[in-house]
Amino acid sequence: MRGILVSSTVTACAALTLPFLATPSSAASSTHDPGVTARSVPGSTQSLPLVPLRGASHGAGHAGGSHAKSHSKKRTAGPEPTSTEQGLPQMEVKPFSLVGIVWDDAGAELRGHAQVRTRPIGGRDWADWQEVSTHDDDRPDTDSTEARAGRLRGSTAPLWVGASDAIQVRVRPDAASGRTPGGSLPAGMRLELVDPGVDRARSAAPPVPSENELAASAANVPLAPLGATEIPALGKPESEGDVEHTGVGELPADDEEDGYPPDGYDSDDSDRPGSADGGRYVGPRPRIVTRAGWGADESLRESGFSYTGAVRAAFVHHTASGNRYSCAQSASVIRGIYRYHVVSSGWRDLGYNFLIDKCGTVYEGRSGGVAKPVKGAHTLGFNSNSMGIAVLGTYGTTNPSTAAVDAVADLTAWKLGLFGANPAGTTSLVSGGGNLFKKGTTVRLKVISGHRDGFSTECPGDRLYRKLGIARAAAARLQGR
């Protein structure tokens, strides 16, 4: 079985035989700051180059033209920057809600600490400094078609800060140690300020759907009709029929990636989609908010879908974007992460296959169909034959909500069941290359693993990682094992 990139043109054309809200038009061109159209949720990205900060903590700075001006009031004294420290002094900018830092070379590491502090819109006081997670391992595999396209940039995790209109940034390299060099930062660092736009009213569907919008919605038919904002929950008996909708059909492949699965592939469970068991171990389907439901601007992503052979494992992540969001803001957070992954980091689409908020709501991530083996960009080295589930928030020292852990169990019971995988079991995957396993190494992993099981990282945070055993047991019970 090989990973394939499927053209959305065929999918969208097939979708035209089904009812929709209007006749399709051509997809809008992807730009760094696309214009607002009738079919898109407004949003924008400001990209500001970081500058050396020697002496900058005592002076004013400017960036971003007339929309970014220095702000010297209520400056908090901090440690003197080193000669290699970079950042931005306090400055006013256009409104934003999510921040991140990117750099030119996707293969370079940011070995250091990044901090930001912001001022809320309408406020006078600045927030405290917040750490930006500098890990760069939720991303496409290095030899994937997505990486070979040449658009990838190195990037930190995004941080949700809420509606703000002023920012200050500092990035310091780690000191040299016996094992790692110090004193330098990646070239071309830029601060990305993301405005995710406003939530579209549930009744305000786009009047003129683009080809990408049609294709993204059609990929979930018949689980939900075209234009649906959510896929309904189903009981276990009815959900077993979803096995019939896991295939990608005979659509033409624009690209193929070799090497997955490994020869002599081994799994604890021999079931396969459409096998003789008839989906006996498929758990009840949870309610899933679609991309249309959270307001994805489909003009941002690349056309077409990327599929892998099957879904044999689920890697659980935290987004490391902070916990200062309400469930009412979840769609905005996801739109911000989506825009950051695509516009700022250079990925083809949102990296995660699914996202879950603190209230336990499940959201469709990367496009291509929630029941299908969509190839994501979430676990460097193990994006093939797997799916990535990201819980919105940061869970190093904060416990995830019970609702979020339950949703991980619900989602994996259903999706892994579609491909015959036992949530309480183990499986073998071949590494695409990372800092734990060399490329080509066959690795035995738990079917529900944390990101850190496939890559040396703190993700999904100690507190969430400790809950994965609960999710495994609950998912297996839901499958009827």
Side-chain angles (χ1 to χ4, degrees):
M1 189 71 71
R2 299 184 178 193
I4 60 174
L5 181 71
V6 176
S7 168
S8 64
T9 303
V10 176
T11 306
C13 288
L16 295 179
T17 63
L18 298 172
F20 204 74
L21 297 168
T23 304
S25 65
S26 298
S29 299
S30 176
T31 65
H32 198 68
D33 189 0
V36 177
T37 69
R39 61 175 177 267
S40 68
V41 176
S44 63
T45 302
Q46 303 171 72
S47 186
L48 308 176
L50 300 191
V51 298
L53 285 183
R54 175 176 287 277
S57 62
H58 302 292
H62 298 264
S66 61
H67 291 290
K69 53 188 177 182
S70 66
H71 184 86
S72 59
K73 294 182 180 180
K74 294 190 179 289
R75 191 179 303 279
T76 300
E80 284 291 324
T82 66
S83 59
T84 53
E85 183 175 359
Q86 294 185 34
L88 292 172
Q90 291 181 359
M91 59 180 58
E92 294 180 347
V93 293
K94 292 187 296 183
F96 67 95
S97 296
L98 180 142
V99 304
I101 297 169
V102 301
W103 53 93
D104 294 341
D105 183 0
E109 293 183 53
L110 199 174
R111 292 176 174 169
H113 294 272
Q115 294 178 311
V116 300
R117 66 190 193 113
T118 58
R119 188 190 64 190
I121 292 176
R124 298 180 61 185
D125 295 334
W126 286 71
D128 293 335
W129 286 100
Q130 295 187 71
E131 292 283 338
V132 178
S133 176
T134 58
H135 75 79
D136 186 29
D137 39 67
D138 291 358
R139 61 184 175 97
D141 293 333
T142 53
D143 63 348
S144 65
T145 302
E146 194 164 353
R148 293 197 300 267
R151 293 186 295 273
L152 299 190
R153 303 179 190 92
S155 56
T156 67
L159 176 67
W160 179 261
V161 295
S164 306
D165 61 5
I167 184 83
Q168 184 178 5
V169 186
R170 60 190 184 197
V171 183
R172 292 184 171 183
D174 288 336
S177 67
R179 299 183 60 184
T180 60
S184 62
L185 294 168
M189 290 199 302
R190 303 181 70 88
L191 175 70
E192 303 289 293
L193 302 174
V194 179
D195 171 14
V198 297
D199 289 326
R200 176 189 292 147
R202 286 301 176 96
S203 60
V208 183
S210 70
E211 181 179 295
N212 271 8
E213 287 166 337
L214 278 170
S217 185
N220 287 319
V221 173
L223 275 62
L226 278 170
T229 57
E230 64 180 56
I231 296 168
L234 284 182
K236 189 179 188 311
E238 297 83 3
S239 298
E240 293 171 357
D242 290 344
V243 170
E244 301 302 319
H245 310 302
T246 57
V248 300
E250 299 299 324
L251 296 175
D254 293 332
D255 181 81
E256 294 187 345
E257 295 167 16
D258 297 324
Y260 300 94
D263 293 337
Y265 172 82
D266 181 31
S267 174
D268 276 0
D269 200 310
S270 61
D271 296 339
R272 296 292 183 269
S275 62
D277 74 358
R280 178 163 56 98
Y281 292 120
V282 177
R285 183 211 297 162
R287 170 181 171 268
I288 303 172
V289 176
T290 66
R291 290 170 65 90
W294 55 260
D297 181 351
E298 300 292 355
S299 71
L300 295 180
R301 68 172 177 86
E302 289 185 23
S303 299
F305 310 125
S306 182
Y307 294 107
T308 186
V311 179
R312 300 299 175 205
F315 287 97
V316 179
H317 304 250
H318 65 175
T319 57
S321 51
N323 301 314
R324 300 181 181 182
Y325 75 95
S326 67
C327 292
Q329 294 175 311
S330 296
S332 294
V333 176
I334 294 170
R335 288 198 304 274
I337 295 172
Y338 169 50
R339 177 175 278 273
Y340 183 71
H341 282 179
V342 177
V343 176
S344 301
S345 303
W347 304 358
R348 62 171 287 114
D349 195 351
L350 178 61
Y352 307 114
N353 297 101
F354 297 93
L355 301 98
I356 295 171
D357 69 14
K358 62 180 68 174
C359 289
T361 302
V362 179
Y363 299 84
E364 177 184 15
R366 181 164 286 208
S367 58
V370 297
K372 302 182 188 302
V374 176
K375 184 173 183 179
H378 49 82
T379 306
L380 182 61
F382 292 101
N383 288 314
S384 291
N385 293 315
S386 70
M387 67 174 176
I389 302 169
V391 180
L392 297 180
T394 304
Y395 298 105
T397 58
T398 300
N399 286 323
S401 67
T402 300
V405 176
D406 289 346
V408 171
D410 294 343
L411 176 58
T412 53
W414 173 71
K415 184 64 181 275
L416 291 172
L418 296 179
F419 293 86
N422 181 352
T426 61
T427 191
S428 293
L429 297 176
V430 170
S431 172
N435 62 5
L436 278 182
F437 306 102
K438 293 181 179 180
K439 182 178 180 180
T441 304
T442 300
V443 182
R444 195 75 174 176
L445 293 164
K446 292 181 178 178
V447 169
I448 298 179
S449 286
H451 184 185
R452 63 178 62 177
D453 295 318
F455 196 95
S456 181
T457 176
E458 294 181 358
C459 184
D462 289 343
R463 298 294 183 91
L464 177 54
Y465 189 75
R466 293 171 189 167
K467 300 291 185 180
L468 296 188
I470 295 173
R472 293 183 190 107
R477 287 195 300 271
L478 288 167
Q479 285 189 349
R481 295 182 187 271

